[in-house]
């Protein structure tokens, strides 16, 4: 462990000392004014728009779905990786023209006119009003950084910076405004929709004077949305009236919305380009961690794990020493008692052994996938600036680790005496990946019906199927071939032909109560971190605490292992040798607690409305719970298998 820390320290030192080294997707861009344009310097600041989403709905929409100012259809868009497409990101060029160092005031983008006599125009206006009421947020990007909307929260002295800003705000008939309406006291007309048709953009940059690079580098881009009733003069004064749309539209006349923007450039040489994400990550709402509470939970989990391990090792050491001492002294009448009585039955093949081997194979594949992903994330390769890299890494690793899944599944199946190897490899290749893809395809149909940007295109679905059938399945067959070719893992003791009768069990050693109790401690070490993960998924927060997440993952693995081993030991002492499925389900039951917590989070923390959004939430939650159940169950089973092999291999049996 010490060597690993030293290697990471040397690598981090190399990164910090080498000025020419940049992680993928994080290379800086230098900007300069038009009159000072240089070969490696860009005078145009490209502003991109992303999909719009809301905390009240799981259904995002592409920017073009709204009747905003658009770029020509033939304008090229940035290329998107697989992760961005699966996550529903649709980054498109915007009609806003920004030139570095050129401050502008109230430049017009376009004017939208809606004839209330035309049904098509009324539908566009109704769609815009509906999304304002649902608090949909726009997400703009400049220099690969999100444009942030910083605002003050009531009863707090700190400003929060969100990576999105609302389309508008809605004041109900009871004159209760949305949170987006509190930025101005002009939003006071009941049953009125206010469109944020003007934005003030402030861009800070770091000058390259005195540095080893020319031009300037952008540090931040902040936005202040406003609703303005434009006059004929070119002015966007803050004293101007708000642009409101009545809730009930008359079927005559027209509604005009003029979209404008202002840009201000400010020089700031105190902040370095490498630290430009800090103000976003440190000031986002709902991501301030109560470090004392989390560290307290980790210390408790580590202490309990240490106590469980110490008690278990001391008890086992005493039992094994006593068994071997009695065996050497020839006291046959008192030789066997407790868990040693089961040496002839403990390795008896379980029921549904093929399904168990498939679960362990796929679970091992998921375990290694998550471990490698977290290592890459801790090294900075999957930072928020490298969009879509996290999901791309997960998909590619899962596909490439098919060999691991097939190998471990076949080894497990051969160890329990299975002979239907073709069925085993087919189930490993298609059972759980098929369930996940089937649920994902069903959810994608719901998104497609709603016209959401999160609906994965048909070509991407074909690409996913090609990865599955063209890469994952052949690698799984290869792993299964290597696994079946090797000699089966021999148990340390022989199995009797006649199974031993299992005595009456107490309520604590019965299967269901022990399985239910076994998932409590592993869930206790992750539920705080789980809150922030769910926030990043459903409340559109940026998650960046991968180092801490990796630590929690290690604690989860240790806790699952020790809890399963402890309960397995108690069951063996109670002369119950049915440990195969129980060891898997004990730690896998943590996934049930995860699902219960997801229901609690949905009911108390989210404001999601609508049947489709609810269906999507629980559909994606099911996929997450299924993968987590296989992960935790596999960790517990493999630890228990190692434990049983060790203790029965350490005693002397005639």
């Amino acid at each position: 462990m010490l060597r690993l820390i030293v290697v990471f320290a040397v690598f981090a030192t190399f990164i910090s000392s080498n000025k020419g080294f940049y992680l993928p997707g994080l290379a800086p861009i230098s900007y300069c004014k038009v009159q000072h344009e240089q070969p490696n310097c860009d005078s145009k600041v490209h502003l991109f728009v992303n999909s719009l989403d809301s905390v009240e709905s799981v259904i995002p929409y592409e920017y073009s779905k709204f009747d905003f100012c658009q770029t020509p259809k033939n304008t090229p868009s940035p290329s998107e990786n697989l992760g961005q497409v699966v996550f529903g990101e649709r980054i498109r060029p915007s009609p806003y023209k920004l030139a570095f160092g050129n401050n502008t005031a109230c430049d017009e983008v376009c004017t939208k006119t809606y004839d209330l006599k035309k049904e098509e125009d009324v539908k566009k206006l109704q769609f815009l009003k509906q999304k304002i009421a649902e608090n949909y947020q726009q997400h703009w990007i400049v220099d690969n950084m999100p444009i942030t909307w910083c605002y003050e929260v009531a009863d707090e002295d700190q400003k929060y910076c969100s990576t999105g800003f609302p389309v508008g705000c809605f004041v109900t008939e009871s004159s209760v405004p949305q949170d987006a309406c509190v930025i101005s006291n002009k939003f006071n007309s009941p049953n009125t929709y206010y469109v944020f048709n003007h934005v003030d953009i402030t861009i800070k940059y770091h000058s390259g004077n005195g540095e080893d690079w020319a031009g300037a580098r952008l540090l931040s881009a902040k936005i202040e949305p406003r609703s303005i009733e434009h006059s004929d003069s070119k002015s966007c004064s803050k004293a101007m009236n708000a642009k409101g749309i009545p809730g009930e539209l008359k079927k005559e006349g027209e509604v005009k919305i003029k979209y404008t923007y202002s840009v201000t450039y400010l020089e700031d040489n105190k902040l370095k380009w490498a630290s430009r994400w800090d103000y976003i990550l440190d000031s986002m709402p709902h991501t301030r961690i109560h470090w004392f509470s989390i560290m307290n939970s980790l210390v408790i989990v580590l202490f309990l794990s240490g106590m469980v391990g110490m008690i278990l090792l001391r008890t086992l050491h005493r039992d094994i020493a006593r068994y071997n001492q009695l065996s050497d002294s020839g006291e046959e009448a008192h030789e066997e008692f407790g868990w040693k009585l089961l040496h002839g039955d403990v390795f008896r093949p379980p029921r549904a052994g093929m399904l168990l081997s498939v679960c362990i194979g796929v679970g091992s594949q998921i375990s290694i996938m998550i471990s490698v992903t977290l290592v890459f994330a801790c090294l900075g390769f999957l930072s928020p600036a490298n969009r879509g890299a996290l999901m791309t890494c997960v998909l590619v690793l899962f596909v490439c680790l098919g060999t691991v899944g097939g190998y471990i599944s076949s080894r497990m199946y051969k160890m329990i005496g299975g002979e239907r190897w073709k069925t085993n490899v087919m189930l490993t290749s298609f059972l759980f990946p098929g369930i996940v893809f089937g649920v994902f395809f069903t959810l994608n149909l719901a998104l497609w019906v709603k016209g959401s940007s999160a609906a994965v295109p048909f070509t991407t679905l074909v690409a996913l199927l090609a990865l599955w059938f063209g890469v994952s399945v052949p690698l799984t067959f290869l792993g299964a071939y290597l696994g079946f070719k090797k000699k089966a893992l021999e148990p340390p003791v022989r199995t009797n032909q006649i199974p031993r009768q299992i005595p009456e069990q107490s309520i604590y050693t019965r299967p269901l109560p022990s399985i239910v109790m076994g998932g409590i401690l592993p869930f206790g070490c992750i539920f705080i971190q789980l809150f922030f993960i769910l926030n990043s998924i459903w409340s559109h927060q940026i998650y960046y605490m991968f180092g801490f997440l990796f630590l929690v993952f290690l604690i989860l693995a240790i806790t699952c292992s020790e809890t399963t081993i402890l309960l397995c030991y108690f069951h063996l002492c109670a002369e119950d040798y049915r440990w195969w499925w129980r060891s898997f389900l004990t730690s896998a039951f943590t996934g049930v607690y995860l699902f219960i917590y997801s229901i609690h989070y949905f009911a108390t923390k989210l404001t999601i409305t609508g049947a489709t959004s609810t269906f999507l939430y629980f559909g994606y939650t099911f996929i997450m719970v299924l993968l987590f159940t296989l992960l935790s169950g596999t960790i517990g089973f493999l630890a228990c298998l190692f434990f049983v092999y060790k203790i029965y291999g350490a005693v002397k049996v005639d």
Side-chain angles (χ1 to χ4, degrees):
M1 184 64 183
L2 182 60
R3 293 181 179 178
L4 185 62
I5 295 175
V6 172
V7 171
F8 281 151
V10 173
F11 183 72
T13 305
F14 170 76
I15 292 176
S16 60
S17 61
N18 191 347
K19 296 182 179 180
F21 180 85
Y22 295 102
L23 295 176
L26 304 180
I29 300 176
S30 297
Y31 294 91
C32 56
K33 296 183 179 180
V34 177
Q35 58 269 29
H36 301 119
E37 191 169 357
Q38 300 175 9
N40 297 325
C41 199
D42 196 349
S43 61
K44 294 182 180 179
V45 179
H46 300 280
L47 193 155
F48 298 96
V49 294
N50 205 342
S51 300
L52 287 81
D53 53 36
S54 171
V55 294
E56 300 180 12
S57 176
V58 185
I59 308 172
Y61 290 96
E62 196 168 347
Y63 187 83
S64 59
K65 187 77 173 180
F66 293 76
D67 194 35
F68 298 139
C69 301
Q70 306 289 340
T71 56
K73 293 184 178 180
N74 57 354
T75 305
S77 300
S79 58
E80 297 168 341
N81 55 43
L82 182 61
Q84 288 178 288
V85 177
V86 173
F87 264 138
E89 290 192 13
R90 302 293 183 267
I91 300 177
R92 302 289 182 261
S94 75
Y96 296 83
K97 307 300 181 183
L98 279 66
F100 179 77
N102 183 20
N103 295 336
T104 61
C106 206
D107 279 6
E108 181 180 353
V109 186
C110 71
T111 300
K112 293 289 183 178
T113 303
Y114 301 93
D115 188 351
L116 299 183
K117 295 180 181 179
K118 297 181 179 179
E119 185 178 354
E120 182 181 357
D121 288 357
V122 173
K123 285 183 178 180
K124 291 179 180 179
L125 209 55
Q126 292 288 9
F127 181 81
L128 182 62
K129 289 164 54 180
Q130 179 186 355
K131 299 314 170 187
I132 291 175
E134 294 177 358
N135 197 22
Y136 267 76
Q137 306 277 315
Q138 296 196 61
H139 299 275
W140 292 4
I141 302 169
V142 165
D143 193 37
N144 202 33
M145 276 197 70
I147 296 184
T148 55
W149 173 47
C150 298
Y151 57 94
E152 294 182 357
V153 177
D155 302 328
E156 295 191 29
D157 298 331
Q158 184 178 358
K159 271 193 173 184
Y160 288 131
C161 293
S162 171
T163 56
F165 65 94
V167 175
C169 69
F170 171 56
V171 181
T172 62
E173 294 181 356
S174 58
S175 298
V176 178
Q178 288 180 322
D179 293 339
C181 296
V182 299
I183 61 176
S184 175
N185 56 6
K186 298 184 178 68
F187 308 131
N188 49 23
S189 300
N191 195 24
T192 304
Y193 298 83
Y194 294 93
V195 181
F196 290 154
N197 58 334
H198 176 83
V199 290
D200 294 312
I201 304 174
T202 303
I203 298 177
K204 289 186 177 182
Y205 64 91
H206 179 86
S207 176
N209 296 331
E211 303 285 348
D212 58 351
W213 45 273
R217 293 176 179 175
L218 304 189
L219 300 177
S220 67
K222 297 182 180 180
I223 196 168
E224 182 182 351
R226 289 193 283 141
S227 180
I228 293 180
E229 183 74 42
H230 286 93
S231 60
D232 294 334
S233 62
K234 186 179 180 181
S235 174
C236 295
S237 172
K238 292 187 177 182
M240 298 178 70
N241 295 327
K243 177 66 176 178
I245 303 175
E248 297 294 333
L249 295 175
K250 299 179 181 180
K251 294 186 178 180
E252 57 183 12
E254 61 182 19
V255 175
K256 287 186 177 182
I257 303 177
K258 183 179 180 180
Y259 291 92
T260 56
Y261 70 102
S262 301
V263 183
T264 304
Y265 291 89
L266 300 176
E267 185 175 357
D268 183 3
N269 291 326
K270 295 181 180 179
L271 182 66
K272 297 297 183 181
W273 180 86
S275 304
R276 63 179 187 161
W277 281 81
D278 292 354
Y279 84 98
I280 302 176
L281 303 179
D282 293 340
S283 61
M284 286 187 62
H286 311 303
T287 56
R288 293 184 302 168
I289 304 175
H290 303 285
W291 288 104
F292 176 80
S293 176
I294 292 180
M295 294 305 298
N296 185 51
S297 299
L298 286 175
V299 169
I300 291 174
V301 170
L302 285 173
F303 176 76
L304 289 176
S305 300
M307 291 296 295
V308 168
M310 184 179 66
I311 294 172
L312 198 58
L313 289 175
R314 291 187 62 182
T315 305
L316 275 175
H317 180 73
R318 185 174 61 248
D319 288 349
I320 293 173
R322 181 171 53 188
Y323 289 147
N324 291 336
Q325 184 179 6
L326 291 174
S327 178
D328 293 338
S329 62
E331 299 182 25
E332 298 293 341
H334 303 282
E335 182 183 354
E336 296 185 358
F337 54 90
W339 53 269
K340 194 186 177 187
L341 283 171
L342 306 179
H343 65 81
D345 298 275
V346 70
F347 289 101
R348 189 175 301 280
R351 295 180 179 178
M354 180 179 292
L355 179 60
L356 178 62
S357 64
V358 171
C359 292
I360 301 304
V362 178
S364 303
Q365 188 176 351
I366 296 172
S367 302
I368 300 177
M369 174 195 74
I370 292 178
S371 302
V372 176
T373 301
L374 288 177
V375 169
F376 277 115
C378 291
L379 293 176
F381 289 98
L382 307 180
S383 69
N386 200 355
R387 303 175 184 278
L390 180 64
M391 189 53 139
T392 304
C393 181
V394 167
L395 292 173
V396 172
L397 282 176
F398 183 82
V399 168
C400 295
L401 289 171
T403 306
V404 175
Y407 179 80
I408 295 180
S409 176
S410 61
R411 291 284 287 163
M412 279 294 308
Y413 187 60
K414 190 173 183 179
M415 184 184 70
I416 62 178
E419 297 178 352
R420 299 164 55 194
W421 64 270
K422 293 181 180 179
T423 305
N424 174 262
V425 69
M426 292 294 289
L427 288 177
T428 306
S429 301
F430 296 106
L431 179 59
F432 290 109
I435 293 174
V436 171
F437 185 82
V439 175
F440 178 77
F441 183 76
T442 304
L443 299 175
N444 196 65
L445 285 178
L447 292 169
W448 177 75
V449 170
K450 288 290 184 178
S452 171
S453 63
V456 177
F458 177 75
T459 53
T460 305
L461 287 177
V462 173
L464 291 175
L465 288 175
L467 286 174
W468 181 14
F469 288 96
V471 180
S472 180
V473 172
L475 290 177
T476 305
F477 273 76
L478 175 62
Y481 170 77
L482 296 176
F484 280 114
K485 190 177 181 181
K486 292 195 67 174
K487 186 179 179 181
L489 190 63
E490 294 291 339
V493 291
R494 294 190 300 269
T495 301
N496 298 332
Q497 293 184 353
I498 301 176
R500 180 183 178 85
Q501 185 176 1
I502 300 174
E504 184 70 20
Q505 300 293 309
S506 65
I507 188 172
Y508 301 106
T509 56
R510 290 177 182 173
L512 185 58
S514 62
I515 290 173
V516 172
M517 291 186 298
I520 295 177
L521 189 58
F523 178 75
C525 74
I526 66 167
F527 82 96
I528 295 179
Q529 190 71 8
L530 183 63
F531 171 78
F532 297 104
I533 294 175
L534 292 178
N535 259 353
S536 67
I537 297 175
W538 303 112
S539 296
H540 313 295
Q541 307 287 329
I542 294 178
Y543 190 87
Y544 63 97
M545 301 172 291
F546 292 108
F548 188 79
L549 181 61
F550 186 66
L551 176 62
V552 171
F553 175 71
L554 293 179
I555 298 298
L556 172 67
I558 295 172
T559 310
C560 285
S561 302
E562 292 187 345
T563 304
T564 306
I565 290 173
L566 181 63
L567 292 176
C568 179
Y569 175 72
F570 290 157
H571 298 146
L572 295 177
C573 290
E575 301 181 17
D576 188 351
Y577 55 83
R578 299 169 300 182
W579 63 273
W580 297 85
W581 271 108
R582 189 177 297 179
S583 63
F584 177 83
L585 295 175
T586 296
S587 53
F589 204 80
T590 310
V592 177
Y593 290 112
L594 171 60
F595 184 72
I596 295 173
Y597 183 81
S598 300
I599 297 175
H600 168 75
Y601 181 83
F602 177 82
T604 59
K605 302 297 181 182
L606 296 181
T607 56
I608 291 178
T609 57
T612 305
S613 294
T614 303
F615 172 72
L616 291 170
Y617 174 85
F618 285 103
Y620 288 121
T621 300
F622 171 78
I623 295 177
M624 181 174 64
V625 168
L626 175 62
L627 298 180
F628 181 82
T629 300
L630 292 173
L631 166 69
S632 57
T634 299
I635 293 174
F637 175 84
L638 293 178
C640 193
L641 177 64
F642 175 79
F643 167 75
V644 173
Y645 259 82
K646 281 294 183 181
I647 64 173
Y648 283 97
V651 298
K652 298 177 181 179
V653 180
D654 294 335

